[in-house]
Amino acid sequence: MSTPEEYERAPKRMKVSAEDEEELEEGEESDSASAGLLGDDEEDEGQSRARWSSAERKDSGSETHRIAPSPVVHVRGLCESVVEADLVEALEKFGNICYVMMMPFKRQALVEFEEVQSADRCVACGSQEPVYIAGQQAYFNYSTSKRITRPTNADDPNSGNKVLLLSIQNPLYPITTDVLYTVCNPIGNVLRIVIFKRNGIQAMVEFESIQNAQKAKAALNGADIYAGCCTLKIEYARPSRLNVIRNDNDSWDYTKPFLLRRERGKGRQRQAILGEHPSSYSDNGYGSHCPLLPLPSNNRFKRSSHDVLEVVTYPLPQTSSYMSHASSSVAMVSGLHPAKMNCTRIFNLFCLYGNIEKVKFMKSVPGTALVEMGDEYAVDRAITHLNSIKVFSKRLNVCVSKQQAVIPSQVYELEDGSSSYKDFAMTRNNRFSSAGQASKNIIQPPSCVLHFYNVPPCISEDDLQRLCTEHDVPGFIKYKVFDAKPSSKTISGLLEFDSKTHAVEVLTVLNHYQIRIPNGSNPYTLKLCFSTSSHL
């Protein structure tokens, strides 16, 4: 671990005062990585509901438990997607907020106002009319704490601290410096990252400025890196600067790209579920930059389009060795719609990230298929860009399979009448069959804009719209055709859809559709891919 002694003294768990502990509700999922121990004397749900309106309210003729007014307000009933910025946006109308403590898995938070009068207004308003946070009604009461316990005084902007402590809760997928850089850098320039893997997974992220750190804390505190897992709990760290001695999966200094990665074979490393992030690849034929994860969906603090590209990129490390990647060239895909997904449609979607050899649905596990790709790197790219996306109202789960190859056994008929197994090794629609062919592919995450090409010039916008209708997929809302040479036999352009999900479904169904024209000898193969444009 490339961390100096000061990191050894970093808090392993967020300390919470005895008063703060009483705010944690017994019987719900643990929030230990961020909030410490649970209170043993917490009220049950019926008692706690009786406290929401006000300390003066009577219940069945008897006076309920009184809580003295406090500048700290306890918030409950939050939706799963809420982040710190949502709380600040909804509650700052009551007065200045000086600190927020998120409890993501409990759907609760503590909000400390500068003045008790502000907390009074918040609690009183919540008892008289609904107060919505991120679209869901929340409930308020005074906290038993008079102040939220901080790990340091770094929440004071004058302290000069620009380092955040990130606790990753429910880390179902690997957390690397690449992942955290992709999440944090769009909000503010990241200088250094150090990841700890002792009691759970924690990381320290140093930003270029205090303001950037403040924005990142507000925008990401309580958010999920991946859908339903890898939840971020963020506080200010004790150190004001990180000291990184090597660039690897657990630490990185972006101001010193010359730092060497850990040599292969030195030091014991745990096997990663998903392997190393694709940004660590070198000599892969996709240019000097490799796309990382899509930008965080919360764009409240996103920079302008002049400052941030649609896909976050940064130079690859100067190394010829690839340390680790997916251990198999077979991906396992679950969450497939039983009636609308088949082998061909899986190929249409996954071929954007690598050659497809074989696809087989698993009879013993409905809605699950094995996809054998050209190599392990293709599996890594598919996982990075397709895991957790929605297709036909089902969320895909893409991970590395334990199988090393797909064997055509137990072949059966799917609901649409097609075979549960198909071999694509010889198809001309694979897009990575040569280095020259692969270099033309732009590896993009799913977006609401599709790039179409290899379409005969006689096909109009109405023809493409009619094609969507005939195949029961969403139609596009904007159309753009690129200028072509007079001698060109095909046209290309862009199609914009209402949502990313609509674009994914259209690509899944219509990619490689055979367009036949009158008096034409051979059909044209419609080819689709995700565009680098975010809108038309």
Side-chain angles (χ1 to χ4, degrees), residues 233-251:
K233 180 71 168 72
I234 304 178
E235 298 291 342
Y236 291 94
R238 294 181 187 275
S240 58
R241 188 185 187 280
L242 302 181
N243 182 26
V244 175
I245 60 176
R246 66 168 61 88
N247 290 341
D248 59 18
N249 277 351
D250 293 330
S251 63

Side-chain angles (χ1 to χ4, degrees), residues 332-333 360-370 403 410 412 420:
M332 183 169 70
V333 187
K360 184 185 81 169
F361 278 76
M362 301 173 68
K363 190 172 185 179
S364 58
V365 189
T368 301
L370 297 177
Q403 305 294 328
Q410 291 186 312
Y412 62 98
S420 65

Side-chain angles (χ1 to χ4, degrees), residues 5 9 16 24 26 33 77 150 153 156 165 175 221 245 269 297 302 350-351 363 378 421 512 518 526:
E5 293 182 0
R9 298 193 296 269
V16 178
L24 305 180
E26 188 178 10
R150 278 82 146 168
N153 66 345
D156 179 2
L165 172 65
I175 300 299
N221 192 9
I245 60 176
Q269 290 184 320
S297 58
K302 194 179 294 182
F350 278 72
C351 72
K363 190 172 185 179
Y421 169 81
H512 306 124
L526 169 64

Side-chain angles (χ1 to χ4, degrees), residues 366-381:
T368 301
L370 297 177
V371 182
E372 183 176 341
M373 305 191 74
D375 51 44
E376 297 92 339
Y377 307 112
V379 173
D380 279 330
R381 292 193 292 270

